[in-house]
Amino acid sequence: MDIKVLGTGCPKCKTLEKLTRDAVEELGIEANISKVEDIMEIMQYNVAKTPALIVDGEIVVKGSVPSYDALKKMLS
């Protein structure tokens, strides 16, 4: 699984990254997680509001931080 957390480094972006890493570890998912902070790269995903979460090329979260349980459901 390829996961990208898009965000410029704001508190919500950092929270989403931490929750994502925690959820992947708890679920035992083998995933490559990367943080994308470059605004030009973020814009290539057509995301106007961060944080955003891209899973295998598909936008699953945009402009908010989901609850931990909701995030686990999205990833499983």
Side-chain angles (χ1 to χ4, degrees):
M1 183 180 288
D2 183 50
I3 301 173
K4 294 185 185 330
V5 179
L6 310 182
T8 56
C10 69
K12 285 184 179 181
C13 300
K14 291 177 182 177
T15 299
L16 180 58
E17 181 182 14
K18 181 181 182 335
L19 289 175
T20 300
R21 291 185 184 280
D22 291 349
V24 164
E25 184 177 333
E26 183 178 323
L27 294 169
I29 297 171
E30 189 172 319
N32 176 34
I33 303 172
S34 58
K35 179 78 164 55
V36 179
E37 295 184 348
D38 180 65
I39 193 70
M40 298 309 281
E41 190 174 346
I42 291 170
M43 289 173 64
Q44 290 177 0
Y45 290 95
N46 292 322
V47 171
K49 289 186 83 175
T50 59
L53 188 67
I54 311 294
V55 178
D56 293 332
E58 183 180 329
I59 300 170
V60 295
V61 173
K62 183 169 38 174
S64 65
V65 178
S67 71
Y68 186 64
D69 288 335
L71 185 59
K72 287 194 308 185
K73 285 180 185 175
M74 289 176 209
L75 296 174
S76 58

